[in-house]
Amino acid sequence: MASGLLLGGAVAALVAAAVPAHNPSGGFVDPPPDKIVIDVATVNGSGCPAGTAAVAVSEDNTAFTVTYSDYLAQVGGNSDPTAFRKNCQLNLIVHVPQGFTYAIAEADYRGFASLQAGASGVQRASYYFQGSSQTAAKTHTFPGAYNDNWQATDTTDWAQLVWAPCGVQRNFNINTEVRVNAGTSSPSKVSFMTMDSTDGDISTVYHMAWKQCPGK
């Protein structure tokens, strides 16, 4: 990976990559041959406070990684009352070759959870383009007792994909959230959930679908 916007951090947690996708006629639309440039405008949220996330763009400008070191939600014990929910918003500027548009077709999330019996964890993500009312949102729930790595995949059918508008630049927003609910678990016992990976492997893969804009 080439150096990018450094905000600090330790665990690889997100990568976006261009992959072929089905088009409505049943064929494939390959990623455009020219370079894709991804600029990170902002990184905000309680799950990625200043100094706890790092962003780097790949040498070929077709992928990016975000490294988190403090994306953890927890309840119980001496946990802060506000720590049950953490979130992070990435505001991205994606420059694509003229005549093409893209959408997020699939996202693979990973992390670790330690949930007491009676507690539960929730991972949620939503995606939208600046100025658009269309939002793709997916939610995954993990019931306790649970003490292991977790993984969740968001897949969107072609007909439901939210495409970047053709001919204009619109920032792409990815909002992620982890939440832990105490439920019926003992208030003295801690339950937590992270959006990262304890072994340092990449946690999240964003697969980009492509199509040509009308008239191209």
Side-chain angles (χ1 to χ4, degrees):
M1 290 293 177
S3 60
L5 173 64
L6 181 63
L7 304 176
V11 182
L14 183 154
V15 64
V19 297
H22 285 285
N23 67 22
S25 63
F28 286 92
V29 176
D30 291 325
D34 297 334
K35 287 185 177 180
I36 307 154
V37 179
I38 302 174
D39 295 326
V40 180
T42 58
V43 180
N44 293 311
S46 57
C48 51
T52 66
V55 180
V57 180
S58 64
E59 293 182 359
D60 61 4
N61 292 322
T62 62
F64 67 92
T65 63
V66 176
T67 302
Y68 300 112
S69 64
D70 193 25
Y71 206 148
L72 182 150
Q74 66 178 46
V75 294
N78 296 322
S79 302
D80 187 298
T82 64
F84 75 97
R85 175 186 179 273
K86 295 294 179 69
N87 76 293
C88 185
Q89 176 169 313
L90 301 176
N91 185 275
L92 309 177
I93 305 171
V94 182
H95 306 275
V96 300
Q98 186 175 4
F100 286 87
T101 183
Y102 71 94
I104 300 299
E106 184 175 285
D108 304 311
Y109 292 93
R110 288 181 55 204
F112 184 84
S114 178
L115 305 171
Q116 302 294 332
S120 62
V122 175
Q123 180 271 328
R124 185 176 189 273
S126 61
Y127 322 92
Y128 66 94
F129 292 97
Q130 178 184 11
S132 173
S133 60
Q134 286 185 291
T135 300
K138 304 287 184 178
T139 300
H140 303 275
T141 301
F142 301 85
Y146 190 98
N147 188 49
D148 203 348
N149 292 316
W150 60 268
Q151 183 167 345
T153 299
D154 296 343
T155 302
T156 304
D157 292 335
W158 180 275
Q160 302 301 319
L161 291 178
V162 179
W163 296 94
C166 288
V168 294
Q169 181 66 56
R170 292 287 186 269
N171 288 11
F172 183 58
N173 292 274
I174 301 173
N175 292 322
T176 57
E177 173 187 331
V178 291
R179 180 192 299 262
V180 180
N181 302 310
T184 60
S185 64
S186 171
S188 64
K189 296 183 177 180
V190 175
S191 294
F192 69 87
M193 184 174 183
T194 68
M195 179 85 82
D196 56 28
S197 176
T198 55
D199 59 11
D201 288 343
I202 292 170
S203 292
T204 304
V205 180
Y206 288 98
H207 303 283
M208 300 171 74
W210 294 94
K211 72 176 182 179
Q212 290 185 306
C213 290
K216 300 295 179 181

